[in-house]
Amino acid sequence: QTGRVDKNHPLVTGHTAPVLDIDWCPHNDNVIASASEDTTVMVWQIPDYVPVRNITEPVVTLEGHSKRVSIISWHPTARNVLLSAGCDNLVILWNVGTGEMLLALDDMHTDLIYNVGWNRNGSLLVTTCKDKKVRVIDPRKQQIIAEKTKPHDGTRPIRAIFVADGKIFTTGFSRMSERQLGLWDLNNFEEPIALQEMDTSNGVLLPFYDADSSIVYLCGKGDSSIRYFEITDEAPYVHYLNTYSSKEPQRGMGFMPKRGLDVSKCEIARFFKLHERKCEPIVMTVPRKSDLFQDDLYPDTPGPEPALEADEWLSGKDAEPILISLRDGYVPIKNRELKVVKKNILDSKPPPGPRRRHSTCDSDFSQPALEEVLEEIRALKEMVQAQEKRICDLENKLCQFTNGTD
């Protein structure tokens, strides 16, 4: 739905300081993670219906950073693996399903981390840092496998992402403060495959990559335009395609996953442009006369099913994304609740000794009894959610009724 949002519209309000980054889970359309200045990462379950009240309770809170957390990113192929990077120069990988920290990459960055990106199967990370280095990291081995100092000579922030065939695409500034883009091969990180200068604007260029069409979209912070380039295997490797221009500058930009696009209208990308007081969808389409499904525009694309579990990935397994066809459009799967299974401290038996009466830690308070209590709580929770949905439906009907009588 589009249009003005009611000022009493419910919000997600769990953080105690500003939220600096958000990321929708690629494997569950109802789950979103948020990173905040309050040093925590929170994961939220968003219902399909509009809740009556603000959502204040996250599914899980991840605490491990000592300073504000500015970056989060879900693993592309492994279920419940979430990355966070903070101003403590620390990158942490979490298993959201258990609420546990999997890995902490703490001695790799000497200064503020600007951005972090996964490769297609989630085996490697690329990071950019205030120390002017681009690093390629194997997170499970906790090793830097490639490093490039000053891919762009300027002092302003650099951004880097993985593109097809494991190449790395960067944006930055020249010594004369001109904006640049670069394409790099990991096997020869010293010299760029391509390096182009763009203009002299001072907004950092944020790259968005569509692997299906090999197109990189560059959205400058504070710009009112989006430039897009095709990346190929032939010189000059990065080919300028076109520029989308508008009147108002963008404060931020979001990118719709491929399975959310309208294939009947040959839509190949949809951005969500943040203004001061609104969020505007920007749709990119390829003009075609035929109404038939366009195979060349829509190759099979990563679907919502994860290819690995978190512990499989951690043990060293890699898997390519599980692809789906968009021929008949994407049909969303039913809302799946994210369940967090924390290790139960009650599972460990109490030390032998004199038994105390009426203690909940006593062995009389058995595991089945605990399960029964948890089951009752779960049932009550479901009942409350059902009643909340019912109240919401009744309120909507009442609104329609009162509007009709007006």
Side-chain angles (χ1 to χ4, degrees):
Q1 294 177 344
T2 57
R4 189 185 291 273
V5 177
D6 177 37
K7 66 176 187 298
N8 298 320
H9 192 84
L11 308 170
V12 178
T13 58
H15 287 288
T16 56
V19 173
L20 301 178
D21 197 13
I22 51 174
D23 195 22
W24 284 101
C25 177
H27 307 127
N28 188 332
D29 292 343
N30 292 80
V31 169
I32 191 168
S34 57
S36 167
E37 274 186 20
D38 65 13
T39 74
T40 68
V41 173
M42 292 182 179
V43 180
W44 308 88
Q45 179 94 22
I46 309 296
D48 286 331
Y49 60 90
V50 177
V52 180
R53 288 173 289 281
N54 286 351
I55 299 175
T56 57
E57 285 298 315
V59 180
V60 64
T61 301
L62 306 171
E63 296 175 324
H65 287 282
S66 58
K67 292 186 178 173
R68 64 185 187 177
V69 189
S70 52
I71 297 164
I72 47 170
S73 180
W74 292 93
H75 191 284
T77 61
R79 190 196 308 273
N80 291 341
V81 175
L82 180 66
L83 173 150
S84 63
C87 295
D88 46 10
N89 310 339
L90 179 65
V91 175
I92 299 178
L93 290 146
W94 307 89
N95 181 345
V96 172
T98 60
E100 292 177 308
M101 188 187 295
L102 294 176
L103 296 164
L105 312 177
D106 51 1
D107 293 327
M108 298 190 176
H109 299 89
T110 58
D111 211 329
L112 183 68
I113 300 164
Y114 284 140
N115 90 298
V116 181
W118 294 98
N119 66 347
R120 187 170 170 85
N121 68 1
S123 58
L124 297 175
L125 295 169
V126 61
T127 68
T128 62
C129 181
K130 199 174 179 181
D131 63 11
K132 300 186 180 61
K133 288 183 181 178
V134 173
R135 296 170 174 86
V136 178
I137 297 168
D138 184 326
R140 289 166 297 190
K141 290 181 180 168
Q142 305 198 17
Q143 284 179 349
I144 297 169
I145 61 166
E147 191 173 77
K148 171 68 181 165
T149 304
K150 283 198 162 185
H152 301 277
D153 290 332
T155 55
R156 308 223 43 222
I158 297 166
R159 290 281 187 276
I161 54 170
F162 275 103
V163 292
D165 307 327
K167 293 188 179 73
I168 286 171
F169 182 90
T170 59
T171 63
F173 293 81
S174 70
R175 197 176 276 113
M176 306 300 291
S177 290
E178 289 171 309
R179 293 200 289 196
Q180 289 180 324
L181 54 87
L183 188 65
W184 309 79
D185 188 341
L186 272 185
N187 301 320
N188 179 16
F189 221 176
E190 285 311 301
E191 288 298 317
I193 303 170
L195 191 65
Q196 291 184 23
E197 292 189 345
M198 301 222 333
D199 55 22
T200 52
S201 179
N202 60 1
V204 176
L205 287 166
L206 309 176
F208 294 89
Y209 177 62
D210 174 18
D212 297 344
S213 59
S214 292
I215 294 176
V216 169
Y217 300 87
L218 297 183
C219 309
K221 236 175 176 177
D223 286 10
S224 53
S225 62
I226 301 171
R227 292 180 181 84
Y228 37 111
F229 298 79
E230 185 177 7
I231 296 177
T232 65
D233 293 332
E234 299 158 10
Y237 305 105
V238 181
H239 306 264
Y240 170 75
L241 294 176
N242 211 336
T243 301
Y244 164 85
S245 294
S246 59
K247 288 187 177 133
E248 294 182 68
Q250 53 233 18
R251 293 185 157 225
M253 200 64 84
F255 196 42
M256 171 67 89
K258 207 54 174 276
R259 54 196 168 87
L261 304 182
D262 188 343
V263 296
S264 65
K265 292 180 180 163
C266 296
E267 183 182 355
I268 59 162
R270 189 187 311 164
F271 289 92
F272 292 92
K273 173 178 170 177
L274 187 65
H275 297 252
E276 190 174 350
R277 295 189 165 274
K278 66 180 178 184
C279 181
E280 174 196 3
I282 296 170
V283 173
M284 306 272 184
T285 55
V286 175
R288 293 276 167 97
K289 289 204 168 109
S290 168
D291 290 338
L292 299 174
F293 179 75
Q294 307 291 317
D295 293 89
D296 59 326
L297 295 184
Y298 302 107
D300 289 357
T301 197
E305 285 301 323
L308 292 169
E309 296 299 326
D311 50 357
E312 291 180 305
W313 177 78
L314 189 63
S315 69
K317 271 193 185 174
D318 287 321
E320 292 298 312
I322 296 173
L323 305 181
I324 57 168
S325 170
L326 297 177
R327 180 170 287 278
D328 300 313
Y330 170 67
V331 181
I333 45 185
K334 193 171 166 286
N335 179 1
R336 294 181 297 189
E337 190 173 351
L338 173 64
K339 288 191 166 52
V340 178
V341 186
K342 297 206 175 179
K343 295 234 178 348
N344 192 344
I345 53 167
L346 297 174
D347 282 349
S348 51
K349 289 181 179 169
R355 292 178 65 176
R356 298 188 308 276
R357 301 179 70 186
H358 309 306
S359 166
T360 52
C361 293
D362 203 333
S363 55
D364 285 347
F365 193 76
S366 63
Q367 185 65 25
L370 178 70
E371 289 295 335
E372 206 174 305
V373 173
L374 289 173
E375 191 53 48
E376 278 184 30
I377 292 170
R378 212 173 285 126
L380 281 168
K381 193 175 168 187
E382 282 175 9
M383 195 190 298
V384 170
Q385 284 176 335
Q387 291 295 346
E388 189 167 33
K389 185 175 186 317
R390 185 167 164 268
I391 291 165
C392 181
D393 291 343
L394 287 169
E395 281 180 344
N396 288 338
K397 281 180 184 166
L398 187 62
C399 286
Q400 287 167 5
F401 179 73
T402 50
N403 290 341
T405 52
D406 287 351

